[in-house]
Amino acid sequence: MIGRLNHVAIAVPDLTKATKIYHGVLGAEVSEPVPLPEHGVTTVFVNLPNTKIELLEPLGADSPIARFLERNSAGGIHHLCYEVDDILDARDKLVQQGMRALGGGEPKIGAHGKPVLFLHPKDFCGTLIEIEQV
Ligand code: CO
């Protein structure tokens, strides 16, 4: 069902500092910060040869990553994103197997302009999973 690892998302308390680590220290190619108000985050995309890293900083008062950063003050891996060919078909197959889709189960347009859906971390080895139709 799942294809390539699209990205690993890392929640960070300070996007400027995190960008300096990935660009300045690790020498990776990084984007300008992209505010995504509908997702409550500002993102910097780190392009690696085989996948992407997304650095996420809270944006706005009720950012979905604010609570995560309260528990992980230095930041931490927030979710993994796997590619699927057909997001509704993937959702239906997952729900049939007892897995829980978040947000009412309806895909939203994600950071790359493609439909995404998040899956409950308790159903996936303690890891929040995003699926993205590519
Ligand atoms: Co993501």
Side-chain angles (χ1 to χ4, degrees):
M1 178 190 297
I2 60 169
R4 285 159 35 100
L5 174 68
N6 185 276
H7 61 268
V8 176
I10 302 178
V12 301
D14 182 338
L15 195 55
T16 305
K17 195 171 157 193
T19 303
K20 279 186 186 146
I21 292 167
Y22 271 85
H23 181 63
V25 177
L26 294 173
E29 179 196 320
V30 301
S31 76
E32 291 299 311
V34 181
L36 300 166
E38 68 276 22
H39 293 281
V41 295
T42 303
T43 300
V44 165
F45 300 101
V46 180
N47 290 309
L48 302 182
N50 63 338
T51 191
K52 293 186 283 281
I53 307 293
E54 291 184 9
L55 303 173
L56 308 175
E57 182 185 64
L59 174 64
D62 24 72
S63 169
I65 64 169
R67 222 154 39 103
F68 180 89
L69 283 169
E70 276 169 27
R71 294 192 306 264
N72 304 275
S73 58
I77 295 179
H78 185 260
H79 65 268
L80 303 180
C81 178
Y82 300 123
E83 298 181 354
V84 296
D85 291 329
D86 181 330
I87 200 163
L88 295 176
D89 183 59
R91 175 200 62 191
D92 292 347
K93 284 181 175 148
L94 290 165
V95 169
Q96 274 164 23
Q97 294 175 89
M99 303 307 185
R100 288 167 287 179
L102 302 180
E106 287 311 311
K108 280 188 188 158
I109 297 303
H112 310 108
K114 310 255 176 72
V116 302
L117 192 61
F118 285 89
L119 305 169
H120 202 298
K122 288 202 172 142
D123 298 339
F124 292 93
C125 315
T127 309
L128 178 62
I129 300 293
E130 179 182 23
I131 53 174
E132 178 173 305
Q133 181 172 304
V134 292

